[in-house]
Amino acid sequence: DIFAEASVKILNNLKITKLLFGSELNDISILTSLAKKQLNKSFDRDLKKYLDEGINYPTALNKALGYKVDTPNDLLAISYIKPIIKNGFNIEPVSIQRTNGYHDNALYDDIVSASNIRNRIANHEDIERYIPEGNILPINYDLYFNLLKHKIITEDNLEKYLTVDEGLDNRLKKVINE
């Protein structure tokens, strides 16, 4: 969630108006509804209750949501939508139906996974035919890490972010400079 929230804030500062992402569910209204539910204080209380009962995180998450979300892209989609709603950003979330595996490195005509595209970028291969025209920004991972590092160092309470449990915030702050 920290990564998604930071990404959305950066994209908002870049004045984007649409955020496209892959989703197996491919239903913006349901994804938005689930994001809104996670922003509700009762969600945190319910999630904590299930975790305290010894239920694993994915199952507790689904129980607290009242909806089964178990694919990485749908979970990431919700993580993108939450800061848009929370901050009132003028960004329209747009879902693209996932048709292949999450990290699939095989080619299916002109459809490839994001992992496949990242691998091709790392290998200095042309990716133009695999992405919608005008829909890619070059990613400088060193710069992005420095932005994330700044957020970790300057944020007073990292525990407010989903999955940053007690102790993890201190560990992040301790090792971020290493």
Side-chain angles (χ1 to χ4, degrees):
D1 269 6
I2 291 173
F3 180 80
E5 184 163 350
S7 298
V8 171
K9 286 182 177 180
I10 290 168
L11 294 171
N12 182 66
N13 288 338
L14 292 172
K15 307 289 187 222
I16 69 150
T17 56
K18 290 186 181 189
L19 177 60
L20 287 73
F21 46 78
S23 165
E24 289 78 18
L25 180 61
N26 197 34
D27 187 322
I28 286 295
S29 63
I30 292 174
L31 293 168
T32 300
S33 173
L34 294 171
K36 286 178 181 177
K37 188 163 191 171
Q38 281 192 9
L39 290 170
N40 190 312
K41 290 183 189 222
S42 66
F43 170 80
D44 290 334
R45 185 184 62 244
D46 292 345
L47 180 64
K48 184 176 179 348
K49 178 185 83 163
Y50 293 125
L51 291 171
D52 288 347
E53 291 173 4
I55 297 173
N56 66 38
Y57 182 81
T59 304
L61 175 68
N62 289 330
K63 284 179 158 274
L65 284 173
Y67 193 93
K68 185 175 181 181
V69 182
D70 59 359
T71 58
N73 293 299
D74 288 340
L75 291 167
L76 185 57
I78 293 167
S79 293
Y80 285 141
I81 295 170
K82 283 191 307 188
I84 292 171
I85 295 168
K86 184 170 85 174
N87 296 292
F89 293 150
N90 186 29
I91 299 174
E92 176 189 355
V94 178
S95 175
I96 299 171
Q97 179 70 55
R98 290 294 310 219
T99 59
N100 60 348
Y102 315 128
H103 303 293
D104 198 344
N105 281 316
L107 291 175
Y108 300 96
D109 297 316
D110 289 335
I111 300 173
V112 297
S113 69
S115 294
N116 188 307
I117 290 172
R118 285 189 294 274
N119 287 338
R120 289 173 183 280
I121 290 170
N123 292 326
H124 307 290
E125 295 177 34
D126 182 21
I127 60 164
E128 189 172 326
R129 72 182 257 211
Y130 304 114
I131 58 171
E133 187 175 325
N135 282 312
I136 189 162
L137 293 172
I139 298 170
N140 180 329
Y141 288 104
D142 290 331
L143 175 60
Y144 197 81
F145 176 75
N146 285 330
L147 292 169
L148 183 59
K149 182 178 177 179
H150 177 270
K151 183 70 171 174
I152 290 170
I153 290 170
T154 59
E155 184 72 43
D156 288 334
N157 179 18
L158 294 176
E159 286 185 44
K160 69 181 178 183
Y161 298 103
L162 188 63
T163 73
V164 179
D165 298 326
E166 183 179 344
L168 180 58
D169 59 335
N170 293 327
R171 175 88 174 126
L172 285 169
K173 287 185 178 284
K174 181 179 177 183
V175 300
I176 193 64
N177 290 312
E178 296 172 14

